[in-house]
Amino acid sequence: MIGIAVSKNGIPIRLTEERWYHIVENHDELAGLSDEVLLTVEDPDYIVKGWKDELLAVRKFTEDKYLVVVYKELENDGFIITAFLTKKVEKILRRGIIWQKREQEKN
């Protein structure tokens, strides 16, 4: 187990070693950033609808890049599926924003 983050819905979301290896194998720019991935689940700027029943936590990472973490919530448990960086945040947000951080929280 790499770590656990608590989602905005109060569900513990696990980042397993198997999933972390999958993430860094496909997105090597995230190597060493597991804490950032967990933080994105706990403190996202947006939560967006996934493709099926996943959720996407989105958080500004650099001036022009956002970290997107795809995760699934079950009744009392959840897990991270994958994570990636993108500059095309508008395309992600068009999926449907479920939750958004208020302006005063962004500081």
Side-chain angles (χ1 to χ4, degrees):
M1 181 73 62
I2 301 292
I4 296 175
V6 178
S7 73
K8 286 295 178 186
N9 291 326
I11 306 292
I13 308 296
R14 295 175 282 116
L15 176 54
T16 64
E17 288 165 0
E18 182 273 330
R19 286 285 88 195
W20 183 243
Y21 291 135
H22 161 83
I23 291 166
V24 295
E25 192 172 279
N26 292 287
H27 308 282
D28 61 348
E29 69 277 11
L30 293 178
L33 297 176
S34 61
D35 288 345
E36 293 291 330
V37 169
L38 292 167
L39 179 62
T40 298
V41 172
E42 288 199 346
D43 189 28
D45 293 331
Y46 303 95
I47 299 174
V48 179
K49 291 178 187 173
W51 293 265
K52 293 181 182 168
D53 53 359
E54 316 91 349
L55 297 169
L56 282 67
V58 181
R59 188 169 61 89
K60 189 167 186 130
F61 187 67
T62 64
E63 190 58 41
D64 64 341
K65 286 188 182 176
Y66 286 78
L67 179 56
V68 179
V69 180
V70 181
Y71 66 100
K72 190 157 184 168
E73 289 184 349
L74 305 172
E75 201 168 312
N76 296 313
D77 183 37
F79 55 92
I80 290 173
I81 298 167
T82 193
F84 57 92
L85 289 171
T86 185
K87 290 182 178 183
K88 300 176 181 174
V89 71
E90 292 305 321
K91 185 176 178 185
I92 301 284
L93 299 181
R94 268 187 257 139
R95 304 186 64 73
I97 298 170
I98 297 170
W99 181 90
Q100 183 173 352
K101 185 182 278 189
R102 294 191 309 254
E103 271 312 306
Q104 61 267 32
E105 292 179 282
K106 288 187 179 179
N107 298 331

